[in-house]
Amino acid sequence: MQSLDTLVSQLSLEEKVALCSGEDFWHTKSIPHVNIPSLMMCDGPHGLRKQPGDAQFLEMNDSEEAICFPTAATTACSFDVQLLKRLGQALGEECQAEKVGLLLGPAINIKRSPLGGRNFEYFSEDPHLTGELATAYILGLQQKGVGACLKHFACNNQESYRMTASSEVDERTLHEIYFPGFEKAIKEAKPWSVMSSYNRLNGEYVGESYSLLTNLLRDKWGFDGFIVSDWGAVNDRVSALKAGMDLQMPGHHGMNDDVLLKAVKHNEIDEEVLDQSVKRLLKKVFKSYENNKQIVVSKDQHHQLAKEIAVESAVLLKNQGVLPLKESGNRLAFIGEFAKAPRYQGGGSSHIHPYQIDTALEAVKGITDVSFAQGFLLEDHPLNERLLHQAIELAKSCDVAVIFAGLPESFETEFYDRPHMKLPAVQNKLIQEVAKVQKNTVVVLHNGAPVEMPWVNEVNAILEMYLSGEAVGEATVDLLFGRANPSGKLAETFPLRLEDHPAYLSTKVVDHRVYYNERLFVGYRYYDARKMDVLFPFGHGCSYTTFQYDQLKLSRGQIAEDEPLVVQVNVTNTGNYFGKEVVQLYVENPTGDTIRPVKELRQFKKVALSPKQTQTVTFTLTKRDFSYYHPTLHDWYVETGEYGILLAKSSRDIVLRGTIKVKGKTKVPTGITTNTTFNELIKNPKLSQMITELIETMKEDYQLDIGMIQEMPIRALASFQVVDQEMVNRLVTILNILNK
């Protein structure tokens, strides 16, 4: 094959421009005379939404039959990178079978608010967990010769005004919360493509931001693929191409092709910039063409994988002894519409036409007899007294009542955000009334994001299935009856009420801006700093067995920032069931002048243990695990201090604790000015002794309170008539010389 440089040189200007926009909603343009094929892309991220050739984007439910795997909100709770890799491989196989070269996923935006309409498509509130899972997913998908399109970059954390709103975020928060998932996935998994988001970031459309698309993605992180716009996201095509946005989707009927063509001809944009975009795109187009294989996928096998993923991801939020259910000897009631018509996916562009839907009511027939009552109508209809009465009477007559509740699809979908965190009122009423007559009430939840639970203390057990894909019914029944042991952990915090979440006061779009006023304090970082009660904490999940942690070992008691720290802990299954435990390692930050979260998830591992089995779990921490992003340095910085090493079962269940002294090496440049405080000068090792002596003199000679002196800026010396302004300026000059 000829080189890309040679190939591009054979193209006319019109052909090069044409390649930078789609042929239709799902294909890039082909140029037959130079053997450039078309690349087909399709929506994901938890299944293949391949539409017929004449289908339009907004015809969301018009797609080919495919396996609907659990959504990202669900799979994140597995805390299992190998499972996510297998999911990626399965999706890659389905893409190959359908001649799809690029899958639009994974979606990894941080869950800033529980109200986000597409939260079910996103992994977590935590950037480390997000990055690990996204990396595994991409590696699995691209092993099968199909490209991943990492989306939506960046800070597209809500649906409200998503095409015009500007996310106003400070530099440090961007690099510590909203960028790390993208950074890790790009550096380690090398996705073929990144999708630029609809929104503006700090006033600039992401798709027109040279600093984001070129300086950050390509130059700093080493991204070597092509950047595609979200569908209909292009504001100014010339500015977007200059910034590094290579492909506009969909094609916009060629209107922007004319705009680009005129811009090149009139020297508004260098043709070399256009050539680079064409080369980046063609590199992946040809890679897809070369990787194309004739394969046949066993949908039955993939359906079983969907079930396995659902089982591994489900979270047992609460269990006071009723679970697992007995397979005989109990009279069981299944109550709720979702028992026979489960909610298993969200609405919008990720909506899959499923291969086979398993219901809990059908799946349980192979195990035991169960009575059913509908209990409620979907879509928050007025209370149906007849259905409620039937459910209550059935619950009275049984030993255990299992209520299948959750959010209708209209409550959470692309295009808009939720207005509240409540279940439909008729469902809350049903749960509360059944719990009054049946002490063994179990609630199975089908939802893509946290919900308030006014009945949490009135029921015996709660099984969070999230949106578990087409095999949700069988997975749920296996978990209820103990044929599988729940091992999922929450990838997001469930607050007690909507008003508790950190962005509650700042999610509203004002003058086309949304202000990220909570800054670093997203999810558990906020609740821990505030010491607030939550409904269920990040990382929480129960099991039918028990686990014990002991013998925490740190390889060193003190390290320099560039030295690794090895952490080991023994984990033992002390119960009677085979089970899996997610061992979570948090680093507790030192308490200093810098505002930092109390602790942050830095590592995790999922281990499988038979009863009485012990396994040693090993983690290796590096510089980044102790760092925060320093805006002055525009880089990661390790603060010298003592850090806590916390081994935990959740962000609130710390089992073992160790400490490590870390010595930072990087010096933050500090120019001393008249506004530099004496406190800051005291902390400078070069100036500490001199300033301490000066403060003591001032304290004695001028009868000034030492606490007041420490927080005073140098210029205040003149205000208190200790020295004149000329002496203040001379002192600043001397201090800067001594500080070099």
Side-chain angles (χ1 to χ4, degrees):
M1 174 182 164
Q2 59 186 325
S3 71
L4 284 178
D5 288 339
T6 302
L7 177 61
V8 172
S9 70
Q10 297 172 2
L11 299 175
S12 67
L13 178 58
E14 288 77 7
E15 289 171 331
K16 288 188 287 189
V17 165
L19 285 170
C20 291
S21 64
E23 177 68 31
D24 51 29
F25 271 84
W26 305 116
H27 298 82
T28 62
K29 297 185 178 81
S30 63
I31 303 182
H33 80 88
V34 286
N35 298 316
I36 293 177
S38 172
L39 171 71
M40 182 176 188
M41 57 196 81
C42 284
D43 276 323
H46 54 267
L48 183 60
R49 193 174 77 88
K50 181 183 179 183
Q51 293 186 280
D54 58 348
Q56 296 297 303
F57 175 68
L58 294 177
E59 296 171 353
M60 294 299 183
N61 298 326
D62 184 11
S63 61
E64 304 290 344
E65 186 180 88
I67 302 300
C68 181
F69 291 96
T71 67
T74 314
T75 59
C77 296
S78 72
F79 276 72
D80 190 332
V81 293
Q82 291 304 314
L83 193 68
L84 267 292
K85 187 174 183 180
R86 291 173 59 200
L87 169 60
Q89 290 169 336
L91 290 168
E93 290 172 357
E94 297 204 12
C95 287
Q96 284 282 17
E98 294 291 340
K99 310 298 184 190
V100 173
L102 186 78
L103 186 67
L104 303 179
I108 66 168
N109 296 88
I110 292 294
K111 298 181 182 184
R112 177 182 176 235
S113 162
L115 300 182
R118 296 180 81 173
N119 276 7
F120 64 89
E121 288 189 57
Y122 304 144
F123 287 123
S124 178
E125 68 188 30
D126 182 76
H128 176 74
L129 178 60
T130 294
E132 292 285 343
L133 298 178
T135 297
Y137 174 111
I138 294 167
L139 288 171
L141 177 68
Q142 294 188 169
Q143 275 185 357
K144 298 298 180 178
V146 175
C149 180
L150 189 62
K151 63 182 188 179
H152 311 87
F153 186 75
C155 293
N156 182 185
N157 304 103
Q158 62 188 61
E159 293 299 283
S160 178
Y161 290 96
R162 67 177 181 174
M163 298 186 79
T164 58
S166 175
S167 300
E168 301 294 311
V169 197
D170 68 278
E171 181 183 5
R172 186 177 165 201
T173 299
L174 286 172
H175 284 273
E176 290 192 32
I177 302 295
Y178 296 101
F179 286 171
F182 289 96
E183 179 185 3
K184 183 177 182 63
I186 287 168
K187 286 182 175 179
E188 297 187 15
K190 302 190 182 306
W192 289 14
S193 181
V194 168
M195 182 185 292
S196 60
S197 54
Y198 287 112
N199 58 290
R200 293 178 294 150
L201 180 54
N202 294 328
E204 183 178 38
Y205 278 102
V206 172
E208 298 172 16
S209 174
Y210 188 88
S211 63
L212 289 173
L213 303 188
T214 297
N215 289 342
L216 184 65
L217 280 181
R218 292 197 169 101
D219 297 343
K220 192 168 184 179
W221 293 349
F223 175 61
D224 65 353
F226 68 91
I227 296 172
V228 59
S229 72
D230 205 338
W231 267 233
V234 172
N235 172 62
D236 183 315
R237 187 63 186 102
V238 175
S239 296
L241 189 69
K242 287 180 179 179
M245 201 274 286
D246 306 301
L247 177 64
Q248 174 183 352
M249 290 299 293
H252 204 40
H253 308 293
M255 285 186 283
N256 273 337
D257 291 1
D258 292 337
V259 171
L260 273 185
L261 190 63
K262 291 176 182 176
V264 176
K265 287 182 176 179
H266 295 163
N267 297 318
E268 294 175 30
I269 187 170
D270 194 313
E271 189 171 349
E272 177 59 25
V273 174
L274 174 64
D275 289 351
Q276 290 302 317
S277 281
V278 171
K279 291 173 190 176
R280 287 192 289 257
L281 175 64
L282 291 183
K283 182 179 178 181
K284 302 306 181 185
V285 168
F286 283 114
K287 188 171 185 177
S288 173
Y289 183 75
E290 292 163 4
N291 289 336
N292 187 31
K293 300 174 183 176
Q294 292 276 30
I295 69 168
V296 177
V297 170
S298 169
K299 290 186 177 178
D300 288 334
Q301 288 181 4
H302 281 196
H303 180 81
Q304 287 304 306
L305 176 60
K307 174 187 171 182
E308 181 185 345
I309 295 171
V311 166
E312 292 288 330
S313 305
V315 183
L316 183 59
L317 294 177
K318 175 182 178 180
N319 184 26
Q320 294 181 327
V322 67
L323 297 180
L325 301 175
K326 298 177 182 178
E327 295 192 7
S328 61
N330 272 343
R331 292 167 297 169
L332 300 179
F334 276 12
I335 298 171
E337 180 74 12
F338 291 127
K340 66 175 183 179
R343 169 93 192 288
Y344 56 92
Q345 66 175 327
S349 61
S350 68
H351 197 280
I352 307 301
H353 178 191
Y355 165 64
Q356 172 186 322
I357 302 173
D358 293 340
T359 74
L361 206 54
E362 287 296 319
V364 77
K365 289 180 180 179
I367 298 177
T368 189
D369 291 331
V370 168
S371 301
F372 173 72
Q374 183 167 330
F376 59 84
L377 297 172
L378 291 179
E379 303 301 340
D380 207 12
H381 288 286
L383 181 67
N384 186 307
E385 294 287 354
R386 179 181 61 83
L387 293 181
L388 177 61
H389 178 73
Q390 289 175 348
I392 293 171
E393 292 304 309
L394 177 60
K396 283 181 183 178
S397 69
C398 291
D399 298 308
V400 180
V402 182
I403 301 175
F404 292 77
L407 298 174
E409 186 172 303
S410 63
F411 275 44
E412 46 186 351
T413 184
E414 187 175 358
F415 307 118
Y416 54 84
D417 298 316
R418 288 194 294 166
H420 56 72
M421 275 178 53
K422 302 178 187 297
L423 288 174
V426 292
Q427 295 187 37
N428 281 330
K429 177 72 171 177
L430 171 68
I431 295 169
Q432 289 169 323
E433 293 302 316
V434 168
K436 288 178 182 177
V437 301
Q438 177 52 261
K439 66 177 182 179
N440 292 323
T441 296
V442 179
V443 176
V444 176
L445 287 172
H446 300 76
N447 47 295
V451 294
E452 295 172 6
M453 303 181 197
W455 35 261
V456 65
N457 295 320
E458 301 166 27
V459 301
N460 190 292
I462 306 169
L463 180 63
E464 175 61 86
M465 294 302 298
Y466 273 99
L467 301 181
S468 285
E470 64 177 48
V472 58
E474 287 191 0
T476 303
V477 168
D478 279 2
L479 289 161
L480 289 173
F481 285 89
R483 294 186 169 191
N485 191 350
S487 63
K489 301 279 190 173
L490 287 180
E492 60 188 321
T493 306
F494 276 45
L496 286 167
R497 56 182 190 152
L498 173 63
E499 291 81 1
D500 289 345
H501 85 81
Y504 174 69
L505 294 176
S506 53
T507 53
K508 186 176 181 179
V509 177
V510 180
D511 294 330
H512 292 286
R513 284 177 167 80
V514 55
Y515 296 92
Y516 286 46
N517 292 333
E518 72 284 357
R519 302 184 68 180
L520 303 171
F521 295 94
V522 177
Y524 70 88
R525 289 165 168 78
Y526 172 79
Y527 299 111
D528 287 355
R530 291 287 310 277
K531 298 182 179 179
M532 288 179 64
D533 289 335
V534 297
L535 186 60
F536 296 106
F538 175 87
H540 168 77
C542 303
S543 172
Y544 296 149
T545 191
T546 54
F547 298 95
Q548 177 180 305
Y549 294 33
D550 58 22
Q551 297 187 38
L552 172 62
K553 296 179 182 178
L554 308 185
S555 60
R556 305 275 297 276
Q558 181 172 329
I559 59 171
E561 67 171 44
D562 54 357
E563 295 176 323
L565 176 69
V566 178
V567 180
Q568 290 188 325
V569 63
N570 285 350
V571 182
T572 303
N573 181 344
T574 54
N576 299 316
Y577 289 85
F578 169 84
K580 295 182 180 181
E581 173 71 340
V582 177
V583 185
Q584 302 163 48
L585 190 157
Y586 296 82
V587 171
E588 185 178 50
N589 295 313
T591 55
D593 292 338
T594 305
I595 296 174
R596 301 183 69 175
V598 176
K599 61 179 178 290
E600 298 172 275
L601 181 72
R602 295 307 194 192
Q603 300 279 316
F604 62 88
K605 285 188 180 178
K606 193 168 191 176
V607 294
L609 297 169
S610 299
K612 315 311 176 188
Q613 182 183 0
T614 298
Q615 183 173 329
T616 300
V617 179
T618 302
F619 301 101
T620 300
L621 300 177
T622 61
K623 175 182 175 180
R624 184 70 175 261
D625 297 311
F626 300 102
S627 301
Y628 71 92
Y629 189 86
H630 201 296
T632 301
L633 297 172
H634 303 293
D635 203 353
W636 295 92
Y637 173 72
V638 175
E639 181 181 14
T640 296
E642 187 171 270
Y643 293 77
I645 305 300
L646 313 181
L647 277 298
K649 297 183 178 182
S650 79
S651 64
R652 291 289 174 91
D653 188 0
I654 310 302
V655 182
L656 295 173
R657 180 188 299 265
T659 59
I660 179 69
K661 293 180 180 178
V662 182
K663 184 172 179 57
K665 290 186 174 183
T666 304
K667 179 182 176 182
V668 179
T670 53
I672 298 168
T673 70
T674 57
N675 280 312
T676 301
T677 65
F678 284 96
N679 249 347
E680 293 173 297
L681 295 172
I682 289 172
K683 293 175 183 177
N684 188 320
K686 293 182 179 180
L687 306 174
S688 178
Q689 184 176 348
M690 173 186 172
I691 297 302
T692 301
E693 292 173 357
L694 177 60
I695 288 176
E696 288 298 323
T697 300
M698 292 165 57
K699 175 186 173 186
E700 294 175 7
D701 293 351
Y702 299 97
Q703 302 299 307
L704 295 178
D705 179 77
I706 192 166
M708 186 177 86
I709 297 171
Q710 287 179 337
E711 295 185 358
M712 281 185 356
I714 299 172
R715 62 176 166 77
L717 294 177
S719 299
F720 288 97
Q721 298 182 347
V722 177
V723 295
D724 59 24
Q725 187 61 48
E726 183 180 350
M727 291 184 67
V728 168
N729 294 336
R730 288 174 59 192
L731 177 59
V732 169
T733 300
I734 292 169
L735 290 174
N736 275 304
I737 292 171
L738 293 174
N739 191 41
K740 287 184 178 178

